[in-house]
Amino acid sequence: MGELTVYDRTAPAELLERSAGAEVLITNKTVITAEDMAALPALKYIGVLATGYNIVDIQAAKARGIIVTNIPAYSTASVAQMVFAHILNITQRVGHYAYANRHGRWANNPDFCYWDTDLVELDGKKLGIIGLGAIGVKVANVAKHMGMEVYGYDPYVSVDAAWNLSRDVKHVINVDEIYENCDVITIHVPLLDSTREMINEDAISKMKDGVILLNFARDLLVDEEAVLAGIEKGRVRKYVSDFPNTTTAGKPGCIVIPHLGASTEESEDNCAVMAVKELKNFLENGNINNSVNYPNCDMGICDQAGRIAIFHLNVANMITKFTALFGDNGINISDMTNKSKGDIAYTMLDVEERPSEEIIDTLRSIPGVIRVRVVK
């Protein structure tokens, strides 16, 4: 299928030299800028081995007809487990008492039972979940089995997520209901302009005293200075973050771990398998799965003489121009699909005769066409 080169780590200064001539880049750490893409004219596909994709300039990739994909839901079970590991550790004080015993604080207690703070049962407590994607749904369903009263907030919940969600979850339409009612709040939304620092001073002011706040989504969803102020005032009992930084690491009331939510062996394997399947489907069939800048589009396996993929602006009469060109050249289109995403679109055509390079060049010259790829 082509030459494969693997690097364990690539610093920004090494990217262009190592990627010269590359049509595909797979990464999960290295930042890829608009300038990098301009210097890599053959690049067609960037696969990010993570759910978050903020290391890639998405708009620049879209403008150049470069597909950017991520790997959503590969670590659903792992992150959900980590959420409950921390909720249980905080409410049952497991780490605290293990540390106390290790340092002999039980030794002179005749009852062999030592405690300096009460433990808390989850049964009957209220859990608020912000974001009902795959992870949020799994957390919600587990919480229900543990006897918790679950509030879920997600104005964009998908049909698949809704089907998998326990009917006992209270789906609220105003996130303030979660802030005002819940003992534990966990965040599972993507980082967007609309969600950036959604947990801020105003949100914290509405929360119950002693709330436990967990963030396994993105650090920038939370104004962490406001959280520290909330901890100092007693509004926030504990803040758990999977995103270590100098603001919260080592601070009282903060439990900060080094991005472990998706670090199980199973999650790593899931990520690799999903990435290979996505890339293989794109290279062999032109199909797009889990793209973050172009519409997902799947026309199956091509059994005709040729398949043409066209990246173009989402404007009127584009399809008419494509089909007219093939019709004028006596080439029959046996199947076609067109998908759009905002101002961008993707069209695939299965044709009964492989088009000449002249026809492909004419396609490329149509105003609004960004890139044309002969898949087969």
Side-chain angles (χ1 to χ4, degrees):
M1 189 174 289
E3 183 180 346
L4 173 67
T5 305
V6 179
Y7 296 101
D8 183 41
R9 299 279 180 177
T10 296
E14 300 171 314
L15 176 64
L16 295 183
E17 179 183 353
R18 291 182 171 185
S19 305
E23 295 182 275
V24 174
L25 289 180
I26 303 295
T27 182
N28 74 341
K29 297 292 184 185
T30 303
V31 173
I32 303 174
T33 66
E35 292 74 21
D36 295 330
M37 296 177 210
L40 299 169
L43 190 60
K44 298 179 176 65
Y45 185 103
I46 299 172
V48 181
L49 297 178
T51 302
Y53 47 86
N54 55 319
I55 59 172
V56 179
D57 188 325
I58 299 301
Q59 294 303 315
K62 183 171 72 170
R64 301 186 72 87
I66 299 171
I67 298 294
V68 181
T69 62
N70 68 340
I71 312 294
Y74 74 94
S75 58
T76 300
S78 176
V79 176
Q81 287 176 185
M82 190 66 76
V83 167
F84 277 100
H86 284 280
I87 293 175
L88 289 168
N89 184 46
I90 293 168
T91 57
Q92 301 298 303
R93 305 281 284 163
V94 178
H96 172 81
Y97 287 116
Y99 179 87
N101 278 1
R102 190 163 64 247
H103 289 78
R105 293 177 65 183
W106 54 271
N108 298 318
N109 189 319
D111 297 323
F112 195 67
C113 184
Y114 163 83
W115 67 91
D116 57 15
T117 183
D118 291 333
L119 308 184
V120 177
E121 290 187 2
L122 295 182
D123 197 334
K125 298 300 185 293
K126 295 178 180 178
L127 172 67
I129 303 172
I130 302 174
L132 293 171
I135 295 171
V137 166
K138 183 171 280 290
V139 170
N141 292 341
V142 171
K144 288 304 300 180
H145 285 295
M146 299 185 78
M148 300 188 79
E149 185 178 342
V150 181
Y151 291 64
Y153 171 77
D154 192 334
Y156 308 109
V157 62
S158 69
V159 173
D160 286 344
W163 274 110
N164 291 320
L165 188 63
S166 168
R167 68 181 66 184
D168 296 323
V169 172
K170 183 178 181 181
H171 192 189
V172 302
I173 59 174
N174 188 335
V175 72
D176 285 355
E177 287 191 58
I178 285 179
Y179 299 151
E180 294 164 2
N181 290 286
C182 293
D183 306 291
V184 181
I185 298 174
T186 181
I187 312 164
H188 301 286
V189 295
L191 177 61
L192 308 169
D193 289 341
S194 59
T195 59
R196 185 180 297 270
E197 292 194 351
M198 65 180 300
I199 305 299
N200 50 32
E201 183 179 2
D202 180 61
I204 292 169
S205 71
K206 299 172 184 175
M207 296 179 187
K208 298 171 67 173
D209 282 345
V211 68
I212 297 170
L213 182 61
L214 302 103
N215 180 11
F216 284 87
R218 284 290 176 268
D219 55 345
L220 296 179
L221 296 168
V222 177
D223 179 349
E224 294 185 327
E225 293 288 355
V227 168
L228 293 179
I231 291 171
E232 191 172 323
K233 295 174 184 176
R235 178 75 66 172
V236 179
R237 177 182 172 185
K238 291 288 184 183
Y239 173 59
V240 181
S241 172
D242 200 20
F243 309 98
N245 58 53
T246 56
T247 303
T248 54
K251 299 298 174 63
C254 295
I255 300 173
V256 183
I257 59 174
H259 208 50
L260 298 180
S263 296
T264 60
E265 291 183 12
E266 293 84 353
S267 290
E268 297 286 343
D269 288 346
N270 287 342
C271 184
V273 169
M274 291 175 69
V276 169
K277 287 181 177 179
E278 289 177 5
L279 177 58
K280 186 172 185 288
N281 202 10
F282 176 74
L283 293 178
E284 294 183 353
N285 304 305
N287 297 325
I288 302 175
N289 304 108
N290 294 323
S291 176
V292 298
N293 63 339
Y294 271 82
N296 290 334
C297 185
D298 195 323
M299 207 162 73
I301 297 172
C302 178
D303 58 3
Q304 296 296 313
R307 174 172 289 181
I308 312 302
I310 310 169
F311 303 75
H312 59 94
L313 298 180
N314 184 24
V315 294
N317 295 323
M318 295 299 287
I319 306 301
T320 302
K321 294 175 182 178
F322 301 157
T323 56
L325 175 62
F326 284 96
D328 290 345
N329 284 275
I331 298 177
N332 187 48
I333 298 172
S334 60
D335 198 3
M336 178 180 69
T337 187
N338 168 264
K339 299 292 183 182
S340 63
K341 186 173 187 176
D343 61 349
I344 213 78
Y346 185 69
T347 297
M348 283 196 290
L349 306 169
D350 281 358
V351 291
E352 295 180 356
E353 178 185 333
R354 187 177 175 87
S356 66
E357 191 58 39
E358 182 181 359
I359 294 174
I360 298 302
D361 286 341
T362 303
L363 264 180
R364 292 189 177 109
S365 69
I366 294 175
V369 170
I370 299 169
R371 184 193 288 263
V372 176
R373 177 180 171 227
V374 179
V375 180
K376 178 182 176 182

